[in-house]
Amino acid sequence: MANGHSKGKLALGLSAVLASSVLLSACSQNNSTSASDGGSEQAGSLKIEVFDRGNAPAGLTASDNFLTDYVKESFGQPNNIDVEFVPIPRSEEVTKLNVLMASGTDVPDIVFTYDSGTFNKYAEQGGLTDLTPLLDEYGPNLKAFLGEDTLKYGQYEGVQYSIPAKRSTVGKYASFVRQDWLDKLGLPVPTTTEELYNTLVAFKEKDPGETGGKVIPLGMTIAPGQYESLIWSFIQPVTEQERFELTQTLSSRDYPVLLPGFKDAVQYLNKLYNEGLISKDFALDENKETLTQNIGSGLVGAFSEDNDNIFYPEGAYDLLLQNHPDAVLTAIDPYTNSEGKHAKPVAAPNGMYIMVPKSSEHAVEAIKYLDWMASEDHLMYIQNGIEGEHYTLEDGVPVAIPNLSAESTNKLMGGGDIGIIANGRIFESQEKNNEAFVKSFKPDYQDIIAKSLDISNTDAIEPVYTSRPIEAESKYGTTLSEKAKQLIVKSAMVSPAEFDATYESMLKDYMGSGGQAILDERKAAYSEQQ
Amino acid sequence: MGYARYFRRNWQMYALLVLPITFFIIFKYGPMYGVQIAFKDFNFFRGIGGSEWIGLDGFREVFANHDFYLTLRNTLMLNFLDLIVSFPAPLILAIMLFELKVVWFKKLSQTILYIPHFISWVIIGGIVYQLFGTQSGMINNLLMSLGFDAVPFLSEKNYWLITYLLTGVWQSAGWGTILYLAALTGINKELFEAAEVDGAGRLKRILHITIPGIKPTIVTLLIINLGNMISIGFERPFVIGNLAVREYSDVLSTFVYRIGLESGQYTLATVVGLFQAVVGLIFLLAANYISKKLTDESIL
């Protein structure tokens, strides 16, 4: 790091300030001409954000593949619109978008985020196009597809500043246990928190997987898929007012930190940790890599997870079966709350927020594009590929054809990321949505996925809906979601004797870092609503 | 000699300077335009010029933020410990390398020592987590198979500190030797020969010739390091840090990343950046002044 020219170091010292400003220096604004001047007589152009997950097969990219070509041919050419896809790394979704939005010039015409705080901030700062008139004029199919229920999630103070994607299934979490371990020990499938606990103790003491002492009875991480099922089962019943005021929505997820029972939940986690029943390094595993490895190598006895995650090709279940062909997982729903229910959070009926920046001159084309996607069978094609090659229709629901050739598989690449108006496959009824979800996986897994999906929708706790955005949540969301995780981690990892002191000091820090501001604003918002 | 003639004779030198100066203007001075964000309520869509002036409100908000003090403390603490642990390492290594007489072995060792410098922190982070994980790390697997208890190298804050510091030494010590080695070659060989004739042993020669010979380099590097006490690289604390040790691993650069790039509060992020720049300048000048008084060595 130390490099000759000493006096230059002075300038270097000064340049520390650049960290945040270098990206903004090119920030000359030109938000002059805005959307409404149609401009369809000449060839239009349209830049569309697309998530780059870094997993494109050789020779393809997130912005240039079979499906992007399909969009260009099927939507671009007939409408005389030049379509371009702008890749954004999935993991830097918000940071990259912030930089693009601030640059003003390079920003795509269609951008999106899963983060409600980010959407609210853009809307509040006046950076988004009001889509109401455009939707009425150019988006009849889109409106019909999404419906008023979904569309309301895209409003900011009553103005349609975004198009929310529609979610096909709202269920999030299920839990799983190694059935072969249970059978070996002659144990029943755990159906309550206590039974699960006894099972975990038995897994630890008897090591049915013959892991040589490396057994992880309950696989844990600090990702929501693993801890939320457990934590929410400790939350006490509350009135509708308490629920509104005490919930904290951080980065689009409801955190129960202030709800009664949260402390008991963390204390239970502390007990499990100190008894050696959960992954020792759960605090280091934010992206579930270690957990996936450990499940795959047959060290984990039970775990909670997103209802679909382990079933994807090369996912944890595939790995487990490669290493231990006799292994069997059973989907379970053990965590029980004080009312005997298996309460767990589900997602909002909307997916990401699709936005058109105010600086965009192609708002009309943007809505036309989304409307095109919602019309005829375009979304079906984007999500499922070609009938006969990728799927067959059974009762109107596409069933994946197994063992596709590499060429065929490549054609499907990026479908979920291009079909931005929907999260999952959407049909006329919830039953069909569920069926399509299940049948998109390989036949061997379909039974357990159906059960997993069912569990994830049992005793659902829906997200709290606020008709006006809570400003403190946009402001402190990122910091506080981090603080909440820190609270869980630190409190879980201390000795039981130190638990109370650690928990209280972490909670104090949380409240001081914006938790109190959110609480105050929510209380005010609730009395306003009355 | 007139300017014109002087310039005609030396114009190549000035031509060579054009690139570095352009670099500084574009990348170091140009962005200072953005410093005004610290005094404005920055709005993404109105840009720097269009945002409203808010005076010192941004500073008030930052100085009222509990995390700011925590990250400031951690920045100083990690840098200070790094100075104690990592500063002598390249010096000792360089002297050891200098004493080596077998050329091929010396070259080979140098190359091996340099390599970690060229590995990105993200990759080093991956290696560190594979090696030092409590449950599945190689080191702990070894310890446990020998009958010891697992050591929480990454999840207990004090152990983490040791991991953090030693990783830093591993990564940078070899590279840090370059300047010392260059300085060492500048020492007059006759001094060593004379000392040897007078019966000075290796240790005496190191203490009385080698170290005094490179003292200006040591002092210069120390001043530079002290000037940088307030700024800290982003990658190392970010990739080696984790949720369980945030108390120590959260530093100003990760704080700026979180409130600036992640939360979009550019005003606050710029305030922190400006604060760092000003304090860094003060540190640098102070270190330089003290050094001038004590050792007569200085860089300004």
Side-chain angles (χ1 to χ4, degrees):
Chain A
M1 32 179 297
N3 239 335
H5 304 295
S6 318
K7 292 193 181 176
K9 275 287 163 183
L10 257 182
L12 256 178
L14 281 171
S15 74
V17 74
L18 309 188
S20 53
S21 56
V22 73
L23 299 159
L24 306 172
S25 59
C27 202
S28 52
Q29 287 313 112
N30 58 338
N31 45 5
S32 46
T33 44
S34 85
S36 41
D37 51 343
S40 51
E41 59 286 334
Q42 298 289 315
S45 75
L46 184 64
K47 285 204 263 181
I48 305 165
E49 172 182 348
V50 64
F51 278 149
D52 186 351
R53 293 176 196 267
N55 58 358
L60 299 175
T61 65
S63 52
D64 182 12
N65 53 54
F66 182 77
L67 288 173
T68 57
D69 287 346
Y70 169 70
V71 169
K72 285 173 187 170
E73 278 156 31
S74 172
F75 167 73
Q77 283 173 10
N79 291 294
N80 204 12
I81 293 171
D82 187 18
V83 177
E84 185 191 337
F85 284 90
V86 181
I88 303 251
R90 174 68 184 92
S91 56
E92 296 168 63
E93 179 218 327
V94 173
T95 50
K96 274 272 169 359
L97 190 58
N98 276 343
V99 171
L100 276 178
M101 285 298 228
S103 86
T105 44
D106 300 330
V107 62
D109 302 299
I110 295 180
V111 296
F112 43 77
T113 178
Y114 276 105
D115 185 45
S116 55
T118 300
F119 159 61
N120 288 332
K121 189 169 55 210
Y122 292 161
E124 188 236 321
Q125 298 201 347
L128 301 177
T129 305
D130 176 7
L131 301 172
T132 316
L134 299 172
L135 261 179
D136 288 340
E137 192 171 345
Y138 301 102
N141 295 306
L142 185 60
K143 272 177 94 167
F145 173 80
L146 295 172
E148 287 301 322
D149 275 354
T150 310
L151 274 170
K152 75 171 183 189
Y153 282 89
Q155 294 174 353
Y156 176 88
E157 296 186 338
V159 183
Q160 197 77 48
Y161 279 123
S162 79
I163 308 283
K166 190 169 183 171
R167 202 179 272 283
S168 73
T169 58
V170 292
K172 285 187 180 177
Y173 310 124
S175 302
F176 303 91
V177 68
R178 282 285 294 272
Q179 185 64 47
D180 51 321
W181 289 14
L182 292 177
D183 294 345
K184 193 166 172 187
L185 301 177
L187 292 169
V189 173
T191 56
T192 63
T193 312
E194 198 189 337
E195 284 176 29
L196 177 69
Y197 175 78
N198 294 334
T199 310
L200 298 179
V201 172
F203 282 171
K204 183 169 173 69
E205 283 169 359
K206 305 200 174 123
D207 193 7
E210 289 158 21
T211 60
K214 287 187 178 175
V215 59
I216 302 169
L218 182 67
M220 186 55 65
T221 72
I222 194 63
Q226 279 65 55
Y227 67 77
E228 280 213 314
S229 299
L230 183 155
I231 284 181
W232 280 89
S233 74
F234 282 83
I235 302 302
Q236 299 292 331
V238 285
T239 64
E240 182 252 347
Q241 178 179 2
E242 285 173 310
R243 219 166 97 68
F244 184 92
E245 291 178 354
L246 299 177
T247 301
Q248 309 229 314
T249 308
L250 313 171
S251 303
S252 299
R253 190 177 319 120
D254 284 359
Y255 281 70
V257 178
L258 305 184
L259 285 167
F262 181 71
K263 186 176 176 183
D264 302 325
V266 182
Q267 189 150 25
Y268 189 70
L269 206 55
N270 174 280
K271 174 182 150 90
L272 295 180
Y273 178 82
N274 279 293
E275 291 175 15
L277 297 177
I278 59 173
S279 316
K280 282 201 184 78
D281 281 338
F282 79 100
L284 312 184
D285 196 16
E286 269 188 272
N287 51 17
K288 312 181 189 179
E289 262 171 38
T290 313
L291 178 75
T292 304
Q293 264 173 32
N294 288 339
I295 295 172
S297 45
L299 299 177
V300 177
F303 57 95
S304 302
E305 177 56 302
D306 299 341
N307 56 19
D308 57 349
N309 216 3
I310 59 170
F311 303 110
Y312 288 100
E314 300 299 309
Y317 207 170
D318 275 5
L319 289 176
L320 176 62
L321 291 175
Q322 276 165 30
N323 294 326
H324 301 270
D326 299 334
V328 180
L329 288 176
T330 294
I332 52 171
D333 197 10
Y335 298 110
T336 314
N337 69 10
S338 59
E339 296 176 300
K341 289 187 172 167
H342 301 279
K344 58 186 85 60
V346 295
N350 69 309
M352 55 196 179
Y353 302 86
I354 304 167
M355 303 166 284
V356 179
K358 201 160 201 171
S359 59
S360 164
E361 293 166 20
H362 305 287
V364 172
E365 287 89 341
I367 297 299
K368 281 185 179 167
Y369 172 62
L370 298 175
D371 194 65
W372 165 84
M373 195 183 288
S375 62
E376 296 170 40
D377 59 350
H378 298 134
L379 186 60
M380 180 84 158
Y381 188 97
I382 290 170
Q383 291 181 329
N384 301 292
I386 302 162
E387 189 178 356
E389 181 174 348
H390 297 103
Y391 68 93
T392 52
L393 276 182
E394 280 178 21
D395 309 330
V397 169
V399 180
I401 295 174
N403 307 321
L404 295 177
S405 69
E407 194 197 337
S408 288
T409 309
N410 285 350
K411 284 187 189 171
L412 290 174
M413 181 214 147
D417 290 322
I418 290 175
I420 47 178
I421 56 170
N423 264 72
R425 292 159 176 80
I426 302 210
F427 297 90
E428 58 279 9
S429 69
Q430 187 61 47
E431 289 73 38
K432 273 204 165 172
N433 289 354
N434 292 352
E435 203 184 327
F437 173 79
V438 170
K439 293 208 165 139
S440 64
F441 290 91
K442 71 177 180 188
D444 297 357
Y445 291 157
Q446 286 180 5
D447 284 345
I448 184 171
I449 291 170
K451 200 172 164 208
S452 158
L453 180 64
D454 193 37
I455 288 171
S456 66
N457 283 304
T458 306
D459 301 334
I461 305 170
E462 283 169 20
V464 177
Y465 176 73
T466 48
S467 56
R468 86 159 170 84
I470 308 294
E471 269 176 44
E473 287 179 349
S474 320
K475 188 165 178 190
Y476 302 112
T478 323
T479 303
L480 282 181
S481 60
E482 178 93 359
K483 293 262 180 207
K485 281 192 246 168
Q486 238 173 298
L487 182 152
I488 296 172
V489 163
K490 295 291 284 187
S491 312
M493 289 175 70
V494 293
S495 69
E498 294 168 83
F499 174 80
D500 270 313
T502 309
Y503 179 87
E504 294 305 333
S505 85
M506 297 299 291
L507 185 63
K508 197 172 154 236
D509 183 30
Y510 177 92
M511 295 307 281
S513 304
Q516 186 66 46
I518 294 178
L519 178 63
D520 295 344
E521 199 179 332
R522 277 188 168 264
K523 281 187 172 162
Y526 189 82
S527 47
E528 266 169 43
Q529 278 186 4
Q530 296 308 300
Chain B
M1 181 163 69
Y3 275 124
R5 215 172 120 213
Y6 167 79
F7 190 74
R8 243 196 329 277
R9 182 171 296 175
N10 295 305
W11 67 272
Q12 292 98 331
M13 295 297 169
Y14 286 91
L16 281 175
L17 259 181
V18 166
L19 267 183
I21 286 179
T22 317
F23 170 84
F24 273 92
I25 290 174
I26 294 179
F27 291 104
K28 305 290 176 192
Y29 288 92
M32 284 186 196
Y33 170 73
V35 169
Q36 55 175 307
I37 292 175
F39 306 95
K40 285 186 161 183
D41 180 15
F42 181 69
N43 179 311
F44 276 89
F45 306 100
R46 284 197 226 129
I48 298 178
S51 299
E52 307 210 354
W53 293 98
I54 51 163
L56 296 176
D57 284 2
F59 287 82
R60 279 188 205 105
E61 196 169 341
V62 166
F63 292 135
N65 190 324
H66 165 249
D67 277 0
F68 170 71
Y69 295 100
L70 180 79
T71 52
L72 177 62
R73 183 205 73 183
N74 288 342
T75 305
L76 293 173
M77 178 184 75
L78 292 182
N79 277 337
F80 182 72
L81 290 174
D82 230 6
L83 192 66
I84 293 175
V85 178
S86 297
F87 188 72
L91 179 61
I92 295 166
L93 260 182
I95 292 173
M96 280 160 57
L97 285 170
F98 186 64
E99 293 294 321
L100 285 176
K101 295 292 175 249
V102 186
V103 176
W104 68 265
F105 183 70
K106 187 172 166 178
K107 288 256 151 77
L108 184 71
S109 318
Q110 266 176 290
T111 310
I112 291 173
L113 288 167
Y114 290 164
I115 285 175
H117 175 80
F118 296 100
I119 304 176
S120 111
W121 273 109
V122 177
I123 294 169
I124 296 177
I127 297 172
V128 165
Y129 275 78
Q130 291 291 323
L131 279 178
F132 295 103
T134 315
Q135 203 148 30
S136 46
M138 271 170 63
I139 306 279
N140 272 318
N141 279 346
L142 192 71
L143 285 177
M144 282 190 285
S145 67
L146 295 173
F148 295 99
D149 281 339
V151 182
F153 288 112
L154 297 169
S155 45
E156 200 281 323
K157 58 186 183 185
N158 293 310
Y159 281 108
W160 178 83
L161 213 49
I162 296 171
T163 312
Y164 174 87
L165 291 170
L166 294 184
T167 315
V169 172
W170 178 79
Q171 194 261 358
S172 64
W175 184 251
T177 59
I178 286 187
L179 282 178
Y180 292 120
L181 285 172
L184 284 168
T185 52
I187 300 174
N188 192 341
K189 289 275 182 297
E190 286 172 17
L191 289 175
F192 289 105
E193 284 156 20
E196 214 171 337
V197 172
D198 290 343
R202 173 158 287 169
L203 209 58
K204 288 265 184 236
R205 292 201 302 270
I206 291 175
L207 279 178
H208 297 291
I209 302 173
T210 316
I211 292 184
I214 56 171
K215 203 175 86 183
T217 313
I218 300 175
V219 172
T220 307
L221 288 179
L222 195 62
I223 293 174
I224 291 170
N225 271 309
L226 284 173
N228 282 336
M229 281 305 259
I230 189 80
S231 61
I232 188 163
F234 170 75
E235 290 98 335
R236 184 167 157 214
F238 187 75
V239 297
I240 310 227
N242 62 65
L243 277 169
V245 296
R246 275 294 184 271
E247 247 179 296
Y248 280 179
S249 73
D250 207 7
V251 293
L252 285 173
S253 54
T254 51
F255 179 62
V256 165
Y257 175 76
R258 195 166 58 238
I259 59 172
L261 286 180
E262 282 194 340
S263 309
Q265 294 173 274
Y266 287 111
T267 302
L268 303 187
T270 314
V271 166
V272 178
L274 187 59
F275 170 84
Q276 278 180 289
V278 172
V279 176
L281 183 64
I282 296 171
F283 270 46
L284 186 74
L285 294 175
N288 189 60
Y289 177 80
I290 293 169
S291 156
K292 203 169 193 167
K293 285 279 171 229
L294 292 181
T295 65
D296 226 30
E297 305 281 355
S298 74
I299 58 174
L300 288 175

